[in-house]
Amino acid sequence: MEQILKYFKDVLTPEQVQRFEALQGLYTEWNARINVISRKDIDNLYERHVLHSLAIARFLGPLQPGTTFLDMGTGGGFPGIPLAIFYPRCRFHLVDRIAKKLRVAETVAKEIGLDNVTFQHGDIGECHERYNYVVSRAVMRLDGLVKLTRKNVAPQSPAVKNQYANGIVCLKGGDTEEESRDVRFPVIEFPLSESFAEPFFETKKLIYVPIK
């Protein structure tokens, strides 16, 4: 939890801090039953899962109330749950094909009192709504992700003016040059080592693809 406070203490309310603090116990309990996080990684929950998810918030900055997100392939709730805690006045829709993992995310959200998240079990092709941002965390190749989810990015609206135009924001590691080659939209990379000092982030990056 100290990693979250290290970077975000000044912008979090006591309620948000309480919700973030509750994640360790909840995910540890559920992970003993359903493997949603690598068991060797559960002790690194805040750095490798929560803080990693919040890299998207670090990038997007303050958002207009009512901004909407689709978390494609959320698994046990990453990055959607940490982002929903961080942005309580935004709306999040979390989608995954694996019912037992999605059930963990839904239970965690309920336990910490999140009322700005909804859940959908199924394939991304079954999700027909549009959102300001589609987010994902190491789900699939970038070219495939853009192909599948560009339909879910809403046209830019003057009613919601954020710093970054509507688009896809995903978290990846390693070299993404080859999987970016066939993407027919701008692909903008941000190394996470510039945002977070921990060694874990040295090879991690955030990819932003504006969809216009």
Side-chain angles (χ1 to χ4, degrees), residues 80-146:
I81 295 293
L83 290 173
I85 297 173
F86 191 86
Y87 292 118
R89 300 176 71 187
C90 299
R91 302 292 306 178
F92 294 81
H93 187 58
L94 280 55
V95 177
D96 202 273
R97 291 186 293 182
I98 302 176
K100 62 182 181 180
K101 290 187 176 184
L102 196 66
R103 189 162 60 249
V104 172
E106 191 168 5
T107 302
V108 168
K110 183 178 179 180
E111 288 289 330
I112 64 177
L114 284 183
D115 60 3
N116 60 336
V117 291
T118 54
F119 301 87
Q120 180 178 340
H121 172 228
D123 188 89
I124 189 63
E126 301 172 76
C127 181
H128 305 294
E129 301 298 319
R130 289 185 164 191
Y131 303 84
N132 297 110
Y133 299 107
V134 174
V135 297
S136 76
R137 182 171 175 261
V139 170
M140 62 188 304
R141 286 172 54 99
L142 183 65
D143 45 9
L145 179 68
V146 173

Side-chain angles (χ1 to χ4, degrees), residues 52-53 55-56 79 136-138 169-173 192 205-207:
H52 191 205
S53 298
I56 294 174
S136 76
R137 182 171 175 261
V169 186
C170 61
L171 299 168
K172 285 188 162 289
L192 295 189
K205 59 186 68 174
L206 178 147
I207 309 291

